mmCIF file with all atom_site columns, all heavy atoms in Angstrom:
data_model
loop_
_atom_site.group_PDB
_atom_site.id
_atom_site.type_symbol
_atom_site.label_atom_id
_atom_site.label_alt_id
_atom_site.label_comp_id
_atom_site.label_asym_id
_atom_site.label_entity_id
_atom_site.label_seq_id
_atom_site.pdbx_PDB_ins_code
_atom_site.Cartn_x
_atom_site.Cartn_y
_atom_site.Cartn_z
_atom_site.occupancy
_atom_site.B_iso_or_equiv
_atom_site.pdbx_formal_charge
_atom_site.auth_seq_id
_atom_site.auth_comp_id
_atom_site.auth_asym_id
_atom_site.auth_atom_id
_atom_site.pdbx_PDB_model_num
ATOM   1   N N   . PHE J 1 32  ? 70.618 -95.935 71.468 1.00 98.00 ? 1107 PHE J N   1
ATOM   2   C CA  . PHE J 1 32  ? 69.983 -95.200 72.575 1.00 98.00 ? 1107 PHE J CA  1
ATOM   3   C C   . PHE J 1 32  ? 69.767 -93.758 72.135 1.00 98.00 ? 1107 PHE J C   1
ATOM   4   O O   . PHE J 1 32  ? 70.695 -93.123 71.613 1.00 98.00 ? 1107 PHE J O   1
ATOM   5   C CB  . PHE J 1 32  ? 70.920 -95.131 73.791 1.00 98.00 ? 1107 PHE J CB  1
ATOM   6   C CG  . PHE J 1 32  ? 70.987 -96.349 74.661 1.00 98.00 ? 1107 PHE J CG  1
ATOM   7   C CD1 . PHE J 1 32  ? 70.560 -97.596 74.232 1.00 98.00 ? 1107 PHE J CD1 1
ATOM   8   C CD2 . PHE J 1 32  ? 71.525 -96.246 75.946 1.00 98.00 ? 1107 PHE J CD2 1
ATOM   9   C CE1 . PHE J 1 32  ? 70.655 -98.713 75.058 1.00 98.00 ? 1107 PHE J CE1 1
ATOM   10  C CE2 . PHE J 1 32  ? 71.618 -97.354 76.776 1.00 98.00 ? 1107 PHE J CE2 1
ATOM   11  C CZ  . PHE J 1 32  ? 71.189 -98.585 76.342 1.00 98.00 ? 1107 PHE J CZ  1
ATOM   12  N N   . VAL J 1 33  ? 68.582 -93.238 72.372 1.00 98.00 ? 1108 VAL J N   1
ATOM   13  C CA  . VAL J 1 33  ? 68.350 -91.803 72.193 1.00 98.00 ? 1108 VAL J CA  1
ATOM   14  C C   . VAL J 1 33  ? 67.735 -91.289 73.486 1.00 98.00 ? 1108 VAL J C   1
ATOM   15  O O   . VAL J 1 33  ? 67.116 -92.058 74.231 1.00 98.00 ? 1108 VAL J O   1
ATOM   16  C CB  . VAL J 1 33  ? 67.417 -91.522 70.993 1.00 98.00 ? 1108 VAL J CB  1
ATOM   17  C CG1 . VAL J 1 33  ? 68.036 -92.020 69.701 1.00 98.00 ? 1108 VAL J CG1 1
ATOM   18  C CG2 . VAL J 1 33  ? 66.040 -92.175 71.188 1.00 98.00 ? 1108 VAL J CG2 1
ATOM   19  N N   . GLY J 1 34  ? 67.875 -90.005 73.769 1.00 98.00 ? 1109 GLY J N   1
ATOM   20  C CA  . GLY J 1 34  ? 67.253 -89.473 74.974 1.00 98.00 ? 1109 GLY J CA  1
ATOM   21  C C   . GLY J 1 34  ? 65.764 -89.257 74.746 1.00 98.00 ? 1109 GLY J C   1
ATOM   22  O O   . GLY J 1 34  ? 64.914 -89.735 75.497 1.00 98.00 ? 1109 GLY J O   1
ATOM   23  N N   . ASP J 1 35  ? 65.473 -88.571 73.659 1.00 97.00 ? 1110 ASP J N   1
ATOM   24  C CA  . ASP J 1 35  ? 64.126 -88.078 73.363 1.00 97.00 ? 1110 ASP J CA  1
ATOM   25  C C   . ASP J 1 35  ? 63.268 -89.167 72.712 1.00 97.00 ? 1110 ASP J C   1
ATOM   26  O O   . ASP J 1 35  ? 63.663 -89.766 71.706 1.00 97.00 ? 1110 ASP J O   1
ATOM   27  C CB  . ASP J 1 35  ? 64.320 -86.887 72.403 1.00 97.00 ? 1110 ASP J CB  1
ATOM   28  C CG  . ASP J 1 35  ? 63.030 -86.237 71.994 1.00 97.00 ? 1110 ASP J CG  1
ATOM   29  O OD1 . ASP J 1 35  ? 61.964 -86.666 72.444 1.00 97.00 ? 1110 ASP J OD1 1
ATOM   30  O OD2 . ASP J 1 35  ? 63.120 -85.287 71.188 1.00 97.00 ? 1110 ASP J OD2 1
ATOM   31  N N   . ARG J 1 38  ? 62.749 -88.998 69.071 1.00 98.00 ? 1113 ARG J N   1
ATOM   32  C CA  . ARG J 1 38  ? 63.875 -89.335 68.177 1.00 98.00 ? 1113 ARG J CA  1
ATOM   33  C C   . ARG J 1 38  ? 63.825 -90.794 67.726 1.00 98.00 ? 1113 ARG J C   1
ATOM   34  O O   . ARG J 1 38  ? 64.480 -91.162 66.759 1.00 98.00 ? 1113 ARG J O   1
ATOM   35  C CB  . ARG J 1 38  ? 65.205 -89.034 68.886 1.00 98.00 ? 1113 ARG J CB  1
ATOM   36  C CG  . ARG J 1 38  ? 66.374 -88.796 67.933 1.00 98.00 ? 1113 ARG J CG  1
ATOM   37  C CD  . ARG J 1 38  ? 67.644 -88.374 68.672 1.00 98.00 ? 1113 ARG J CD  1
ATOM   38  N NE  . ARG J 1 38  ? 67.413 -87.192 69.453 1.00 98.00 ? 1113 ARG J NE  1
ATOM   39  C CZ  . ARG J 1 38  ? 67.991 -86.933 70.637 1.00 98.00 ? 1113 ARG J CZ  1
ATOM   40  N NH1 . ARG J 1 38  ? 68.852 -87.778 71.149 1.00 98.00 ? 1113 ARG J NH1 1
ATOM   41  N NH2 . ARG J 1 38  ? 67.704 -85.836 71.286 1.00 98.00 ? 1113 ARG J NH2 1
ATOM   42  N N   . THR J 1 75  ? 65.836 -93.340 76.254 1.00 98.00 ? 1150 THR J N   1
ATOM   43  C CA  . THR J 1 75  ? 66.206 -93.509 77.668 1.00 98.00 ? 1150 THR J CA  1
ATOM   44  C C   . THR J 1 75  ? 65.672 -92.377 78.530 1.00 98.00 ? 1150 THR J C   1
ATOM   45  O O   . THR J 1 75  ? 65.864 -92.394 79.742 1.00 98.00 ? 1150 THR J O   1
ATOM   46  C CB  . THR J 1 75  ? 67.739 -93.558 77.826 1.00 98.00 ? 1150 THR J CB  1
ATOM   47  O OG1 . THR J 1 75  ? 68.295 -92.295 77.417 1.00 98.00 ? 1150 THR J OG1 1
ATOM   48  C CG2 . THR J 1 75  ? 68.356 -94.675 76.990 1.00 98.00 ? 1150 THR J CG2 1
ATOM   49  N N   . GLY J 1 76  ? 65.045 -91.357 77.905 1.00 98.00 ? 1151 GLY J N   1
ATOM   50  C CA  . GLY J 1 76  ? 64.683 -90.177 78.693 1.00 98.00 ? 1151 GLY J CA  1
ATOM   51  C C   . GLY J 1 76  ? 65.948 -89.411 79.061 1.00 98.00 ? 1151 GLY J C   1
ATOM   52  O O   . GLY J 1 76  ? 67.010 -89.614 78.474 1.00 98.00 ? 1151 GLY J O   1
ATOM   53  N N   . ILE J 1 77  ? 65.824 -88.541 80.055 1.00 98.00 ? 1152 ILE J N   1
ATOM   54  C CA  . ILE J 1 77  ? 66.943 -87.682 80.429 1.00 98.00 ? 1152 ILE J CA  1
ATOM   55  C C   . ILE J 1 77  ? 67.615 -88.206 81.694 1.00 98.00 ? 1152 ILE J C   1
ATOM   56  O O   . ILE J 1 77  ? 66.951 -88.450 82.694 1.00 98.00 ? 1152 ILE J O   1
ATOM   57  C CB  . ILE J 1 77  ? 66.450 -86.235 80.655 1.00 98.00 ? 1152 ILE J CB  1
ATOM   58  C CG1 . ILE J 1 77  ? 66.013 -85.609 79.320 1.00 98.00 ? 1152 ILE J CG1 1
ATOM   59  C CG2 . ILE J 1 77  ? 67.526 -85.381 81.326 1.00 98.00 ? 1152 ILE J CG2 1
ATOM   60  C CD1 . ILE J 1 77  ? 65.486 -84.183 79.435 1.00 98.00 ? 1152 ILE J CD1 1
ATOM   61  N N   . GLY J 1 78  ? 68.937 -88.370 81.625 1.00 98.00 ? 1153 GLY J N   1
ATOM   62  C CA  . GLY J 1 78  ? 69.716 -88.535 82.837 1.00 98.00 ? 1153 GLY J CA  1
ATOM   63  C C   . GLY J 1 78  ? 70.205 -89.934 83.153 1.00 98.00 ? 1153 GLY J C   1
ATOM   64  O O   . GLY J 1 78  ? 69.695 -90.931 82.639 1.00 98.00 ? 1153 GLY J O   1
ATOM   65  N N   . ARG J 1 113 ? 74.895 -94.618 71.648 1.00 98.00 ? 1188 ARG J N   1
ATOM   66  C CA  . ARG J 1 113 ? 74.021 -93.481 71.963 1.00 98.00 ? 1188 ARG J CA  1
ATOM   67  C C   . ARG J 1 113 ? 74.071 -92.481 70.813 1.00 98.00 ? 1188 ARG J C   1
ATOM   68  O O   . ARG J 1 113 ? 75.151 -92.102 70.342 1.00 98.00 ? 1188 ARG J O   1
ATOM   69  C CB  . ARG J 1 113 ? 74.482 -92.808 73.263 1.00 98.00 ? 1188 ARG J CB  1
ATOM   70  C CG  . ARG J 1 113 ? 73.864 -91.438 73.484 1.00 98.00 ? 1188 ARG J CG  1
ATOM   71  C CD  . ARG J 1 113 ? 74.092 -90.912 74.895 1.00 98.00 ? 1188 ARG J CD  1
ATOM   72  N NE  . ARG J 1 113 ? 74.046 -89.459 74.955 1.00 98.00 ? 1188 ARG J NE  1
ATOM   73  C CZ  . ARG J 1 113 ? 72.938 -88.721 74.996 1.00 98.00 ? 1188 ARG J CZ  1
ATOM   74  N NH1 . ARG J 1 113 ? 71.752 -89.293 74.970 1.00 98.00 ? 1188 ARG J NH1 1
ATOM   75  N NH2 . ARG J 1 113 ? 73.006 -87.400 75.063 1.00 98.00 ? 1188 ARG J NH2 1
ATOM   76  N N   . VAL J 1 114 ? 72.885 -92.053 70.378 1.00 98.00 ? 1189 VAL J N   1
ATOM   77  C CA  . VAL J 1 114 ? 72.765 -91.016 69.359 1.00 98.00 ? 1189 VAL J CA  1
ATOM   78  C C   . VAL J 1 114 ? 72.095 -89.837 70.067 1.00 98.00 ? 1189 VAL J C   1
ATOM   79  O O   . VAL J 1 114 ? 70.863 -89.757 70.150 1.00 98.00 ? 1189 VAL J O   1
ATOM   80  C CB  . VAL J 1 114 ? 71.923 -91.510 68.159 1.00 98.00 ? 1189 VAL J CB  1
ATOM   81  C CG1 . VAL J 1 114 ? 71.871 -90.454 67.067 1.00 98.00 ? 1189 VAL J CG1 1
ATOM   82  C CG2 . VAL J 1 114 ? 72.502 -92.815 67.601 1.00 98.00 ? 1189 VAL J CG2 1
ATOM   83  N N   . GLY J 1 115 ? 72.921 -88.949 70.621 1.00 97.00 ? 1190 GLY J N   1
ATOM   84  C CA  . GLY J 1 115 ? 72.404 -87.932 71.525 1.00 97.00 ? 1190 GLY J CA  1
ATOM   85  C C   . GLY J 1 115 ? 72.620 -86.519 71.041 1.00 97.00 ? 1190 GLY J C   1
ATOM   86  O O   . GLY J 1 115 ? 73.106 -86.278 69.927 1.00 97.00 ? 1190 GLY J O   1
ATOM   87  N N   . THR J 1 116 ? 72.216 -85.581 71.905 1.00 96.00 ? 1191 THR J N   1
ATOM   88  C CA  . THR J 1 116 ? 72.529 -84.171 71.671 1.00 96.00 ? 1191 THR J CA  1
ATOM   89  C C   . THR J 1 116 ? 73.325 -83.673 72.868 1.00 96.00 ? 1191 THR J C   1
ATOM   90  O O   . THR J 1 116 ? 73.212 -84.216 73.974 1.00 96.00 ? 1191 THR J O   1
ATOM   91  C CB  . THR J 1 116 ? 71.264 -83.308 71.518 1.00 96.00 ? 1191 THR J CB  1
ATOM   92  O OG1 . THR J 1 116 ? 70.547 -83.302 72.761 1.00 96.00 ? 1191 THR J OG1 1
ATOM   93  C CG2 . THR J 1 116 ? 70.377 -83.807 70.394 1.00 96.00 ? 1191 THR J CG2 1
ATOM   94  N N   . SER J 1 117 ? 74.117 -82.640 72.619 1.00 96.00 ? 1192 SER J N   1
ATOM   95  C CA  . SER J 1 117 ? 75.031 -82.205 73.666 1.00 96.00 ? 1192 SER J CA  1
ATOM   96  C C   . SER J 1 117 ? 75.485 -80.781 73.418 1.00 96.00 ? 1192 SER J C   1
ATOM   97  O O   . SER J 1 117 ? 75.369 -80.256 72.306 1.00 96.00 ? 1192 SER J O   1
ATOM   98  C CB  . SER J 1 117 ? 76.235 -83.160 73.660 1.00 96.00 ? 1192 SER J CB  1
ATOM   99  O OG  . SER J 1 117 ? 77.157 -82.828 74.668 1.00 96.00 ? 1192 SER J OG  1
ATOM   100 N N   . PHE J 1 201 ? 70.647 -80.447 84.437 1.00 96.00 ? 1276 PHE J N   1
ATOM   101 C CA  . PHE J 1 201 ? 70.780 -79.603 83.235 1.00 96.00 ? 1276 PHE J CA  1
ATOM   102 C C   . PHE J 1 201 ? 71.224 -78.183 83.589 1.00 96.00 ? 1276 PHE J C   1
ATOM   103 O O   . PHE J 1 201 ? 71.957 -77.558 82.837 1.00 96.00 ? 1276 PHE J O   1
ATOM   104 C CB  . PHE J 1 201 ? 69.428 -79.558 82.520 1.00 96.00 ? 1276 PHE J CB  1
ATOM   105 C CG  . PHE J 1 201 ? 69.463 -78.867 81.180 1.00 96.00 ? 1276 PHE J CG  1
ATOM   106 C CD1 . PHE J 1 201 ? 70.000 -79.501 80.065 1.00 96.00 ? 1276 PHE J CD1 1
ATOM   107 C CD2 . PHE J 1 201 ? 68.945 -77.589 81.030 1.00 96.00 ? 1276 PHE J CD2 1
ATOM   108 C CE1 . PHE J 1 201 ? 70.021 -78.868 78.828 1.00 96.00 ? 1276 PHE J CE1 1
ATOM   109 C CE2 . PHE J 1 201 ? 68.969 -76.951 79.796 1.00 96.00 ? 1276 PHE J CE2 1
ATOM   110 C CZ  . PHE J 1 201 ? 69.507 -77.597 78.695 1.00 96.00 ? 1276 PHE J CZ  1
ATOM   111 N N   . GLN J 1 205 ? 75.387 -78.139 85.184 1.00 94.00 ? 1280 GLN J N   1
ATOM   112 C CA  . GLN J 1 205 ? 76.112 -77.791 83.946 1.00 94.00 ? 1280 GLN J CA  1
ATOM   113 C C   . GLN J 1 205 ? 76.457 -76.295 83.934 1.00 94.00 ? 1280 GLN J C   1
ATOM   114 O O   . GLN J 1 205 ? 76.732 -75.724 82.874 1.00 94.00 ? 1280 GLN J O   1
ATOM   115 C CB  . GLN J 1 205 ? 75.292 -78.170 82.709 1.00 94.00 ? 1280 GLN J CB  1
ATOM   116 C CG  . GLN J 1 205 ? 75.100 -79.687 82.588 1.00 94.00 ? 1280 GLN J CG  1
ATOM   117 C CD  . GLN J 1 205 ? 74.420 -80.099 81.298 1.00 94.00 ? 1280 GLN J CD  1
ATOM   118 O OE1 . GLN J 1 205 ? 74.734 -79.576 80.226 1.00 94.00 ? 1280 GLN J OE1 1
ATOM   119 N NE2 . GLN J 1 205 ? 73.503 -81.032 81.378 1.00 94.00 ? 1280 GLN J NE2 1
ATOM   120 N N   . LEU J 1 235 ? 79.403 -81.679 77.151 1.00 96.00 ? 1310 LEU J N   1
ATOM   121 C CA  . LEU J 1 235 ? 78.708 -81.978 78.406 1.00 96.00 ? 1310 LEU J CA  1
ATOM   122 C C   . LEU J 1 235 ? 77.277 -82.396 78.086 1.00 96.00 ? 1310 LEU J C   1
ATOM   123 O O   . LEU J 1 235 ? 76.585 -81.716 77.321 1.00 96.00 ? 1310 LEU J O   1
ATOM   124 C CB  . LEU J 1 235 ? 78.715 -80.682 79.233 1.00 96.00 ? 1310 LEU J CB  1
ATOM   125 C CG  . LEU J 1 235 ? 78.538 -80.709 80.739 1.00 96.00 ? 1310 LEU J CG  1
ATOM   126 C CD1 . LEU J 1 235 ? 79.440 -81.724 81.418 1.00 96.00 ? 1310 LEU J CD1 1
ATOM   127 C CD2 . LEU J 1 235 ? 78.824 -79.308 81.291 1.00 96.00 ? 1310 LEU J CD2 1
ATOM   128 N N   . GLU J 1 236 ? 76.872 -83.528 78.654 1.00 97.00 ? 1311 GLU J N   1
ATOM   129 C CA  . GLU J 1 236 ? 75.484 -84.001 78.522 1.00 97.00 ? 1311 GLU J CA  1
ATOM   130 C C   . GLU J 1 236 ? 75.148 -84.823 79.755 1.00 97.00 ? 1311 GLU J C   1
ATOM   131 O O   . GLU J 1 236 ? 75.765 -84.598 80.793 1.00 97.00 ? 1311 GLU J O   1
ATOM   132 C CB  . GLU J 1 236 ? 75.263 -84.745 77.189 1.00 97.00 ? 1311 GLU J CB  1
ATOM   133 C CG  . GLU J 1 236 ? 76.325 -85.740 76.799 1.00 97.00 ? 1311 GLU J CG  1
ATOM   134 C CD  . GLU J 1 236 ? 76.258 -87.026 77.554 1.00 97.00 ? 1311 GLU J CD  1
ATOM   135 O OE1 . GLU J 1 236 ? 76.797 -87.092 78.690 1.00 97.00 ? 1311 GLU J OE1 1
ATOM   136 O OE2 . GLU J 1 236 ? 75.707 -88.000 77.028 1.00 97.00 ? 1311 GLU J OE2 1
ATOM   137 N N   . MET J 1 237 ? 74.195 -85.764 79.670 1.00 98.00 ? 1312 MET J N   1
ATOM   138 C CA  . MET J 1 237 ? 73.689 -86.350 80.911 1.00 98.00 ? 1312 MET J CA  1
ATOM   139 C C   . MET J 1 237 ? 73.590 -87.889 80.935 1.00 98.00 ? 1312 MET J C   1
ATOM   140 O O   . MET J 1 237 ? 72.940 -88.427 81.831 1.00 98.00 ? 1312 MET J O   1
ATOM   141 C CB  . MET J 1 237 ? 72.308 -85.738 81.233 1.00 98.00 ? 1312 MET J CB  1
ATOM   142 C CG  . MET J 1 237 ? 72.379 -84.241 81.466 1.00 98.00 ? 1312 MET J CG  1
ATOM   143 S SD  . MET J 1 237 ? 70.766 -83.481 81.757 1.00 98.00 ? 1312 MET J SD  1
ATOM   144 C CE  . MET J 1 237 ? 70.271 -84.290 83.263 1.00 98.00 ? 1312 MET J CE  1
ATOM   145 N N   . GLU J 1 238 ? 74.205 -88.583 79.973 1.00 98.00 ? 1313 GLU J N   1
ATOM   146 C CA  . GLU J 1 238 ? 74.047 -90.044 79.949 1.00 98.00 ? 1313 GLU J CA  1
ATOM   147 C C   . GLU J 1 238 ? 75.334 -90.850 79.715 1.00 98.00 ? 1313 GLU J C   1
ATOM   148 O O   . GLU J 1 238 ? 75.444 -92.004 80.166 1.00 98.00 ? 1313 GLU J O   1
ATOM   149 C CB  . GLU J 1 238 ? 73.033 -90.472 78.856 1.00 98.00 ? 1313 GLU J CB  1
ATOM   150 C CG  . GLU J 1 238 ? 71.600 -90.085 79.130 1.00 98.00 ? 1313 GLU J CG  1
ATOM   151 C CD  . GLU J 1 238 ? 71.273 -88.650 78.731 1.00 98.00 ? 1313 GLU J CD  1
ATOM   152 O OE1 . GLU J 1 238 ? 72.051 -88.054 77.954 1.00 98.00 ? 1313 GLU J OE1 1
ATOM   153 O OE2 . GLU J 1 238 ? 70.261 -88.116 79.214 1.00 98.00 ? 1313 GLU J OE2 1
ATOM   154 N N   . ASN J 1 257 ? 77.351 -87.686 69.838 1.00 98.00 ? 1332 ASN J N   1
ATOM   155 C CA  . ASN J 1 257 ? 76.444 -86.571 70.129 1.00 98.00 ? 1332 ASN J CA  1
ATOM   156 C C   . ASN J 1 257 ? 76.499 -85.523 69.031 1.00 98.00 ? 1332 ASN J C   1
ATOM   157 O O   . ASN J 1 257 ? 77.588 -85.158 68.569 1.00 98.00 ? 1332 ASN J O   1
ATOM   158 C CB  . ASN J 1 257 ? 76.836 -85.905 71.458 1.00 98.00 ? 1332 ASN J CB  1
ATOM   159 C CG  . ASN J 1 257 ? 76.278 -86.666 72.655 1.00 98.00 ? 1332 ASN J CG  1
ATOM   160 O OD1 . ASN J 1 257 ? 75.072 -86.641 72.904 1.00 98.00 ? 1332 ASN J OD1 1
ATOM   161 N ND2 . ASN J 1 257 ? 77.145 -87.352 73.376 1.00 98.00 ? 1332 ASN J ND2 1
ATOM   162 N N   . ILE J 1 276 ? 70.653 -83.262 64.206 1.00 97.00 ? 1351 ILE J N   1
ATOM   163 C CA  . ILE J 1 276 ? 70.342 -84.615 64.701 1.00 97.00 ? 1351 ILE J CA  1
ATOM   164 C C   . ILE J 1 276 ? 70.117 -85.569 63.527 1.00 97.00 ? 1351 ILE J C   1
ATOM   165 O O   . ILE J 1 276 ? 70.606 -86.700 63.523 1.00 97.00 ? 1351 ILE J O   1
ATOM   166 C CB  . ILE J 1 276 ? 69.120 -84.568 65.643 1.00 97.00 ? 1351 ILE J CB  1
ATOM   167 C CG1 . ILE J 1 276 ? 69.483 -83.776 66.902 1.00 97.00 ? 1351 ILE J CG1 1
ATOM   168 C CG2 . ILE J 1 276 ? 68.655 -85.966 66.013 1.00 97.00 ? 1351 ILE J CG2 1
ATOM   169 C CD1 . ILE J 1 276 ? 68.293 -83.278 67.690 1.00 97.00 ? 1351 ILE J CD1 1
HETATM 170 C C1  . LIG D 2 .   ? 68.840 -82.398 78.028 1.00 76.09 ? 2882 LIG D C1  1
HETATM 171 O O1  . LIG D 2 .   ? 68.103 -81.495 77.277 1.00 76.09 ? 2882 LIG D O1  1
HETATM 172 C C2  . LIG D 2 .   ? 68.912 -83.762 77.385 1.00 76.09 ? 2882 LIG D C2  1
HETATM 173 O O2  . LIG D 2 .   ? 69.472 -83.654 76.063 1.00 76.09 ? 2882 LIG D O2  1
HETATM 174 C C3  . LIG D 2 .   ? 70.708 -84.350 75.976 1.00 76.09 ? 2882 LIG D C3  1
HETATM 175 C C4  . LIG D 2 .   ? 71.135 -84.515 77.428 1.00 76.09 ? 2882 LIG D C4  1
HETATM 176 O O3  . LIG D 2 .   ? 72.073 -85.526 77.616 1.00 76.09 ? 2882 LIG D O3  1
HETATM 177 C C5  . LIG D 2 .   ? 69.833 -84.699 78.164 1.00 76.09 ? 2882 LIG D C5  1
HETATM 178 O O4  . LIG D 2 .   ? 69.341 -86.016 78.083 1.00 76.09 ? 2882 LIG D O4  1
HETATM 179 O O5  . LIG D 2 .   ? 70.645 -85.593 75.315 1.00 76.09 ? 2882 LIG D O5  1
HETATM 180 P P1  . LIG D 2 .   ? 69.379 -86.211 74.502 1.00 76.09 ? 2882 LIG D P1  1
HETATM 181 O O6  . LIG D 2 .   ? 68.978 -85.200 73.465 1.00 76.09 ? 2882 LIG D O6  1
HETATM 182 O O7  . LIG D 2 .   ? 69.863 -87.476 73.896 1.00 76.09 ? 2882 LIG D O7  1
HETATM 183 O O8  . LIG D 2 .   ? 68.295 -86.432 75.532 1.00 76.09 ? 2882 LIG D O8  1
#
Side-chain angles (χ1 to χ4, degrees):
F1107 280 18
V1108 298
D1110 180 1
R1113 203 175 303 146
T1150 64
I1152 291 179
R1188 166 168 155 80
V1189 183
T1191 65
S1192 181
F1276 187 76
Q1280 295 186 43
L1310 202 49
E1311 45 76 277
M1312 298 177 63
E1313 291 83 17
N1332 278 288
I1351 294 161

